[in-house]
């Protein structure tokens, strides 16, 4: 792939790789006889929704904006969940939702009359207090956390109208982690299952990763369905949809050296365009680069914003970098794109699709007006 003529900076989705992921996920959906839906919090690139809709059965929203986007661009109603709903938006949100999950019984009681007068199926998020996620920022299963009700908070008889349970305590996890989490969920909440119509196992199922055991996942899901055949099973993987389906293209603007450390300043920003790299944190892979190797040309990668910490520690290259070189930051389509900001007014990357034919189609470029309109 020759990226020398591609616009920079740009998020570039490789359509062929997205299709391959969707085929794997659709195969799990068919084999386990469940519903797998797209989580917009991980992938909201709506021009691709018609393609996604050919393989998956719907999408999940965490806000009115996401629910409306699903309805308008995928043509289906959303499975909606939010930690709390805005009273002024709730009526409109119902019109875009087929399922709506409340974070607490208190929130459900606040809106009970409105949902009972709608056709929406109502659920409750629960916290099984079990998670193997090691990064606190992404672990929702704390016993004192804010996401979902723990078992002691739920009366032995559910409030009338609650038809489903939803849990989400995984993050880029394996089928074996899911199996152990499911056991904790069943242990705490299975007494309610006879009174439910559906369960939502949330996201974090990284079923398109190369080492993920999809056969084991299907076995676990079939086992659950054999125990509770009346329950419809829903999953909403986030990262798995767009996992390793594209990259963030950047170019070197300058190279500076202080006290023996070289920094290549790029036309992208880690804090504005790749916030998870600083928040999680994680170190992104760079194509044709490695961890530091003594004797090889080695550089920190600096972002274009004025934040002092807007950089990644050293990478080594086979040959010295020069101004104008293109660098590819791998796997930047899931989560990264939806979490960008326009901090400092830095140029926002274009959004483009590399078609299977090899043609690059630029879907969106951003201007000063996009920056200005967010601020007043």
């Amino acid at each position: 792939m020759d990226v020398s003529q591609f616009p920079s900076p740009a998020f570039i989705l490789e359509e062929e790789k997205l299709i391959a992921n969707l085929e794997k996920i659709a195969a799990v959906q068919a084999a386990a006889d469940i519903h797998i839906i797209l989580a917009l919090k991980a992938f909201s690139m709506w021009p691709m929704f018609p393609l996604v809709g050919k393989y998956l059965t719907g999408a999940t929203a965490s806000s009115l904006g996401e629910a409306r986007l699903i309805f308008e661009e995928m043509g289906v109603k959303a499975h909606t969940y939010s930690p709390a709903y805005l009273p002024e938006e709730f009526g409109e949100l119902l019109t875009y939702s087929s399922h709506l999950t409340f974070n607490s019984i208190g929130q459900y009681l606040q809106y009970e009359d409105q949902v009972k007068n709608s056709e929406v199926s109502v659920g409750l998020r629960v916290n099984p207090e079990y998670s193997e996620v090691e990064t606190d920022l992404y672990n929702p299963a704390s016993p004192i956390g804010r996401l979902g009700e723990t078992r002691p908070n739920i009366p032995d008889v559910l409030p009338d109208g609650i038809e489903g349970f939803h849990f989400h305590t995984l993050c880029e996890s394996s089928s074996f982690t899911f199996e152990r989490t499911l056991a904790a969920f069943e242990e705490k909440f299975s007494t309610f299952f006879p009174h439910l119509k559906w369960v939502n196992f949330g996201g974090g199922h990284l079923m398109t990763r190369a080492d993920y055991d999809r056969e084991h996942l299907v076995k676990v899901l079939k086992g659950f369905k054999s125990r509770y055949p009346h329950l419809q099973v829903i999953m909403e993987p986030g990262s798995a949809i767009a996992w390793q389906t594209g990259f963030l293209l950047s170019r070197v603007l300058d190279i500076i050296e202080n006290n023996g450390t070289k920094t290549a300043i790029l036309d992208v920003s880690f804090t504005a365009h790749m916030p998870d790299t600083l928040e999680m944190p994680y170190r992104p892979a760079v194509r044709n680069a490695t961890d530091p190797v003594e004797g090889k040309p080695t550089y920190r990668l600096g972002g274009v914003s004025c934040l002092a910490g807007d950089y990644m520690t050293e990478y080594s290259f086979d040959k010295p970098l020069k101004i104008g070189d293109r660098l590819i930051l791998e796997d930047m389509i899931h989560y990264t794109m939806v979490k960008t900001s326009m901090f400092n007014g830095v140029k926002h990357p274009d959004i483009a699709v590399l078609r299977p034919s090899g043609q690059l189609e630029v879907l969106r470029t951003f201007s000063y007006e996009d920056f200005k309109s967010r601020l007043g």
Side-chain angles (χ1 to χ4, degrees):
M1 182 192 308
D2 179 13
V3 299
S4 61
Q5 301 305 309
F6 288 179
S8 177
F11 288 108
I12 299 178
L13 170 75
E14 298 173 78
E15 187 175 28
E16 213 164 28
K17 293 181 178 180
L18 177 63
I19 292 171
N21 278 357
L22 291 169
E23 288 175 344
K24 293 182 178 75
I25 295 169
V28 170
Q29 180 175 247
D33 190 25
I34 63 170
H35 294 277
I36 299 182
I37 60 180
L38 167 69
L40 261 65
K41 61 189 171 188
F43 184 68
S44 298
M45 194 174 174
W46 59 264
M48 308 310 295
F49 284 4
L51 174 63
V52 173
K54 293 179 180 179
Y55 296 88
L56 306 185
T57 55
T60 180
S62 299
S63 65
L64 173 59
E66 286 187 347
R68 180 175 174 179
L69 189 63
I70 290 166
F71 184 76
E72 290 182 351
E73 301 299 336
M74 193 177 281
V76 297
K77 291 190 174 184
H79 293 241
T80 303
Y81 161 78
S82 175
Y85 295 108
L86 301 179
E88 62 271 23
E89 293 182 351
F90 192 76
E92 184 179 2
L93 186 62
L94 288 178
T95 67
Y96 297 128
S97 303
S98 61
H99 296 65
L100 189 141
T101 296
F102 288 95
N103 189 59
S104 70
I105 291 176
Q107 272 263 299
Y108 169 68
L109 294 177
Q110 181 180 343
Y111 294 104
E112 182 178 15
D113 290 343
Q114 285 178 261
V115 293
K116 283 187 174 179
N117 289 323
S118 74
E119 296 181 356
V120 174
S121 182
V122 173
L124 177 69
R125 179 163 178 168
V126 297
N127 177 0
E129 301 178 70
Y130 179 91
S131 177
E132 299 179 21
V133 178
E134 296 179 353
T135 303
D136 287 343
L137 183 66
Y138 295 94
N139 183 2
S142 166
I144 58 171
R146 66 185 178 89
L147 300 177
E149 296 277 28
T150 55
R151 178 60 186 87
N153 285 352
I154 303 175
D156 291 338
V157 178
L158 285 173
D160 184 40
I162 293 179
E163 298 182 337
F165 273 0
H166 176 186
F167 76 84
H168 181 166
T169 65
L170 305 178
C171 178
E172 298 185 356
S173 302
S174 72
S175 62
F176 297 93
T177 299
F178 168 60
E179 184 177 34
R180 292 187 288 270
T181 305
L182 183 60
F185 170 64
E186 285 189 62
E187 181 182 358
K188 284 188 167 68
F189 299 104
S190 61
T191 56
F192 296 105
F193 290 177
H195 310 289
L196 301 178
K197 294 181 179 180
W198 55 266
V199 288
N200 186 325
F201 295 152
H205 313 270
L206 194 44
M207 61 183 75
T208 52
R209 186 173 56 198
D211 63 350
Y212 191 98
D213 192 334
R214 289 188 293 276
E215 289 186 6
H216 177 252
L217 173 63
V218 170
K219 179 181 177 182
V220 172
L221 291 168
K222 283 184 171 180
F224 181 87
K225 287 177 64 69
S226 70
R227 295 190 294 277
Y228 313 103
H230 71 289
L231 289 177
Q232 181 187 80
V233 173
I234 303 159
M235 299 175 76
E236 46 185 55
S239 297
I241 307 296
W243 178 258
Q244 295 185 338
T245 61
F247 52 88
L248 177 56
L249 180 63
S250 66
R251 63 192 154 150
V252 178
L253 300 178
D254 194 13
I255 298 173
I256 62 172
E257 182 173 356
N258 283 311
N259 295 311
T261 296
K262 294 180 180 179
T263 302
I265 307 295
L266 309 180
D267 62 352
V268 294
S269 165
F270 293 95
T271 187
H273 306 144
M274 299 165 276
D276 276 354
T277 64
L278 302 182
E279 292 175 0
M280 187 156 189
Y282 80 94
R283 180 178 161 83
V286 177
R287 191 171 300 182
N288 300 321
T290 67
D291 287 339
V293 176
E294 188 173 353
K296 296 185 73 171
T298 300
Y299 307 81
R300 294 197 315 176
L301 300 183
V304 75
S305 84
C306 67
L307 177 70
D310 190 3
Y311 70 91
M312 281 289 122
T313 52
E314 286 88 347
Y315 294 79
S316 287
F317 297 82
D318 289 334
K319 57 184 180 180
L321 295 179
K322 60 183 185 298
I323 293 173
D325 280 351
R326 301 298 178 97
L327 295 187
I328 290 174
L329 296 114
E330 302 281 19
D331 197 23
M332 288 292 168
I333 302 301
H334 62 91
Y335 277 107
T336 301
M337 287 177 61
V338 297
K339 297 180 76 171
T340 57
S341 74
M342 291 186 171
F343 170 66
N344 253 187
V346 297
K347 177 176 170 56
H348 194 284
D350 295 345
I351 295 175
V353 179
L354 184 63
R355 301 297 185 186
S357 65
Q359 178 186 359
L360 185 76
E361 182 180 348
V362 178
L363 302 180
R364 176 72 193 275
T365 59
F366 296 85
S367 67
Y368 164 72
E369 294 301 329
D370 294 305
F371 168 64
K372 182 181 180 181
S373 64
R374 296 179 69 252
L375 301 171

